[in-house]
Amino acid sequence: MPTGACGVNCDVCGLYVKGVCGTCAAGTDERAKKKLDEQMEVINMHCPILACAVERKVGYCLRDCNEFPCTKFESALESLLGPGPYPYSAKYLAMFRTRLGKNKGEKT
C-alpha cells in the first residue's frame, strides 16, 4: 500500500480514488521526483508537500519532519481544491501541535 510523504495511504486518498492522482511516494524515495514530474504534466503543478519532503530529504512529514505540522498542510492545495487544510483537518493539526507542546496558535 503506497503512502505519500504527507502520511496518507493512497488507497484512502480522495485524489487517488477519484483518479486525479496516481500513487505517491515518500520524500526520500527515488520515485518521488518522477511523481513530481508527472504532477506537473497532469495538473500543471507540484504537490507542495511532496516537493518540500523531497527538497528536505524527509520520508514522511508526520514521522520525520521536526517542523510538522507546518503551514503547507494548511494551504498546500488551495489553488486546486479550494480553501481548507489538506490532507488533515484543522482540528487534527491543532491536536498534533498541542501534543507536541507547541502553542495552539503558533504556526511552524
Side-chain angles (χ1 to χ4, degrees):
M1 289 198 259
T3 302
C6 63
V8 173
N9 177 285
C10 296
D11 292 335
V12 298
C13 176
L15 295 174
Y16 175 72
V17 172
K18 292 174 184 167
V20 174
C21 198
T23 57
C24 202
T28 53
D29 190 308
E30 62 187 38
R31 294 172 292 178
K33 289 181 182 178
K34 182 180 177 190
K35 176 66 179 180
L36 290 171
D37 292 340
E38 289 172 3
Q39 290 172 345
M40 189 56 78
E41 287 179 28
V42 175
I43 60 174
N44 200 32
M45 68 178 285
H46 293 133
C47 169
I49 295 169
L50 181 59
C52 180
V54 168
E55 180 182 320
R56 292 173 171 252
K57 297 177 175 65
V58 169
Y60 300 99
C61 302
L62 279 141
R63 182 187 72 192
D64 304 324
C65 185
N66 292 330
E67 294 184 32
F68 180 86
C70 68
T71 56
K72 284 184 178 43
F73 281 87
E74 294 171 0
S75 61
L77 295 173
E78 279 186 6
S79 63
L80 183 64
L81 301 174
Y86 174 85
Y88 304 104
S89 71
K91 288 184 180 187
Y92 177 82
L93 295 174
M95 179 274 303
F96 203 95
R97 282 189 187 98
T98 300
R99 289 190 176 192
L100 289 176
K102 296 180 180 182
N103 294 331
K104 280 186 176 181
E106 178 184 277
K107 293 183 181 180
T108 58

